[in-house]
Amino acid sequence: MIDLVMLFLLVVCALVAIHIKDLLGSAVLLSAYSLIMAVVWTRLNAVDVAFTEASVGAGITTVLLIAAISRTARGEELMPRARHVLPGFVIIVVTAAVLIWGTLDMPDFADPNAPANLHVAPRYIEHSAEETGVINMVTAVLASYRGYDTLGETTVIFTAGLGVILLLRGRKR
Amino acid sequence: MNMRVSIIRRVVSRIMIPFMQLFGLYVIMHGDSGPGGGFQGGVILGASIILYALSYGLDSARQRIAEKTSDILSSTGVFIYAAVGLVCMLIGGKYLQYNVLPIGEPHFASHIGILIIEIGVGITVAAVMITIFFETARKDERVEK
């Protein structure tokens, strides 16, 4: 029940964030969206993901969006109403239908016989503590089994910082 | 901006920032045994500096963490991560194969290796968050003066 309420609130937050013309309100709504999402992750026992969602999604992203808004303009520019609505509508409906059709082939939620739960998951659950020396399985996967990926992610963050420095710092004077 | 900052915000953030930073360090160091890790802890550390900048002004925050310092820190973290991998290779293991590190038994060495790279991730994330915020927010401060 509480899950349904939260999913409903998520959809409402997302729709209102798109519709609202005040970008500051939009940023705050996205922050609320992330906070609800963090609770959803916690309900799914994905505490590490919830932690990231709360700190990055609800926290830092909001601050950075507000900083960007304060640097540009708070109101959204009103676009002239599009005349040809039908083609876009058809594309959206067809894409959504294909995506929903694709989910029909996916295993049920929390199905113990799903491929993901038969292949690597048992290995991580049974051996990650002895193989990596850390008891948090998520950290074991991120830092050890998928250590290359995490190095790549850290490099991506560094590159993002570098890009911001190169693009914005040059305009100082 | 400095003139408009309220005393309430300053006092509250002065009380909160040490606890935020302590919690950020805790999250980085306890990523091996609880939720969190270098990324989340780094974000919390970065957020504490951003809170300082929001309540005391950008210039004051830049005095605490100079542009040069955060630039160097953001590359230091990645360097630590990649260097741990190289050290593993030099000792004779594969890249990022922590259990060959010469710190006690393989089990313990792997644990320490993971801790070191988490610290590296935390340093880079915190420094980049600070950099992005400072570079994005700076223009306003100049306009307002």
Side-chain angles (χ1 to χ4, degrees), chain B:
Chain B
M1 183 168 176
N2 286 331
M3 300 302 290
R4 296 198 334 222
V5 172
S6 80
I7 181 101
I8 297 173
R9 210 190 322 168
R10 281 195 201 191
V11 172
V12 169
S13 60
R14 192 186 296 164
I15 296 169
M16 274 178 69
I17 287 171
F19 290 103
M20 283 178 76
Q21 292 180 333
L22 200 61
F23 184 60
L25 292 174
Y26 168 84
V27 169
I28 294 178
M29 296 311 287
H30 282 252
D32 53 351
S33 49
F39 189 79
Q40 293 92 331
V43 168
I44 295 172
L45 274 183
S48 72
I49 304 289
I50 291 177
L51 178 62
Y52 183 87
L54 286 174
S55 44
Y56 287 82
L58 285 184
D59 294 333
S60 173
R62 264 303 181 209
Q63 280 169 7
R64 296 297 177 110
I65 293 209
E67 214 163 61
K68 209 172 178 180
T69 316
S70 62
D71 286 3
I72 291 172
L73 281 179
S74 56
S75 52
T76 306
V78 186
F79 178 78
I80 289 174
Y81 200 144
V84 169
L86 277 180
V87 168
C88 292
M89 271 175 96
L90 288 177
I91 293 169
K94 294 170 188 152
Y95 192 69
L96 291 175
Q97 187 189 350
Y98 311 112
N99 54 18
V100 298
L101 291 171
I103 346 168
E105 49 173 332
H107 198 74
F108 181 69
S110 174
H111 189 160
I112 297 298
I114 288 175
L115 218 53
I116 296 175
I117 64 129
E118 291 281 358
I119 293 170
V121 173
I123 293 174
T124 289
V125 170
V128 168
M129 294 303 157
I130 296 168
T131 305
I132 294 180
F133 175 76
F134 275 64
E135 297 303 328
T136 318
R138 171 161 44 202
K139 195 178 170 191
D140 296 297
E141 185 129 305
R142 287 209 334 277
V143 171
E144 275 177 32
K145 271 177 190 169

Side-chain angles (χ1 to χ4, degrees), chain A residues 142-164:
Chain A
L142 284 179
S144 190
Y145 294 108
R146 295 282 175 268
Y148 287 17
D149 296 7
T150 309
L151 175 58
E153 282 165 21
T154 314
T155 314
V156 165
I157 293 168
F158 171 63
T159 316
L162 209 61
V164 167

